Amino acid sequence: NTVSALMHTDVARADRMVAALGDLLRISLRSIESEMTPLAEELRTVELYADIMHERFRDRVTVGWRVDRTLLDVPVPVLLLQPLLENAFKHGVEPAATPVHIGISTRRESDSLEIVVSNSGSTLAPEYRDGVGFRNCRERLGILYGNAASLQVRNEGDGVAARVLIPLAGLLP
């Protein structure tokens, strides 16, 4: 296990990882009480998860962020993005022999908030079918926004991108 190995070799790094795990657990427990959270909080949760996974795959992954700061107050479903990032690590980084880049971006796309979690180095097989995480995300989006929101997972460039669109109508001035 990564944390116990670190405890003997790099105590400061292990302390940071345990603190991040604690923060992530607290956020997960709080999320049970709420259905929505500001995008800034959702991104903080994803950042904690990314930091933990970066420790695990230290030399095999880089994570880049492009965030439109004007959208940070937009309410989004709690823990919507973590399963998308988890898939990028599980299917993009874990099996890869070469370094992988994961990108997380947010921007306004017409009348929607677009959030993209992408990874380089792997592509979807032709027989690809959504897993439980993607199905759950789609169901939550459908319940909250009907057909106005979407989640698409597809090959893009040299990798895979999960692209979420959430309507901004009534959410911004």
Side-chain angles (χ1 to χ4, degrees):
N1 148 334
T2 305
V3 175
S4 63
L6 283 174
M7 293 302 284
H8 299 290
T9 59
D10 189 339
V11 174
R13 197 168 138 214
D15 282 346
R16 286 190 305 273
M17 197 166 170
V18 168
L21 283 166
D23 289 346
L24 190 59
L25 178 60
R26 278 186 289 284
I27 289 167
S28 296
L29 292 173
R30 270 198 321 263
S31 72
I32 294 168
E33 302 167 5
S34 177
E35 199 169 88
M36 304 294 283
T37 191
L39 177 62
E41 287 299 312
E42 182 70 0
L43 291 174
R44 175 69 184 129
T45 302
V46 171
E47 182 181 18
L48 284 168
Y49 183 80
D51 288 348
I52 292 165
M53 296 305 283
H54 186 264
E55 286 298 326
R56 181 174 174 207
F57 298 108
R58 199 169 177 94
D59 299 327
R60 295 171 45 199
V61 66
T62 57
V63 180
W65 300 83
R66 284 192 347 240
V67 175
D68 180 339
R69 303 193 63 74
T70 65
L71 299 170
L72 291 177
D73 291 330
V74 172
V76 296
V78 171
L79 294 177
L80 176 71
L81 303 181
Q82 188 276 332
L84 308 183
L85 185 57
E86 183 178 343
N87 272 318
F89 276 100
K90 181 177 180 181
H91 300 290
V93 178
E94 215 169 278
T98 58
V100 171
H101 178 75
I102 292 178
I104 297 134
S105 66
T106 66
R107 70 183 185 127
R108 185 187 298 247
E109 174 63 30
S110 189
D111 293 331
S112 296
L113 163 63
E114 179 186 62
I115 306 167
V116 180
V117 177
S118 62
N119 64 271
S120 66
S122 67
T123 55
L124 299 172
E127 67 278 2
Y128 167 78
R129 285 188 174 61
D130 280 349
V132 173
F134 286 135
R135 282 195 307 269
N136 287 344
C137 289
R138 277 200 186 88
E139 284 176 22
R140 288 179 67 206
L141 289 169
I143 290 167
L144 292 167
Y145 306 102
N147 292 332
S150 65
L151 166 60
Q152 294 182 341
V153 182
R154 63 180 182 234
N155 292 326
E156 283 187 20
D158 68 341
V160 176
R163 190 172 299 275
V164 177
L165 288 174
I166 295 174
L168 289 173
L171 301 177
L172 289 177

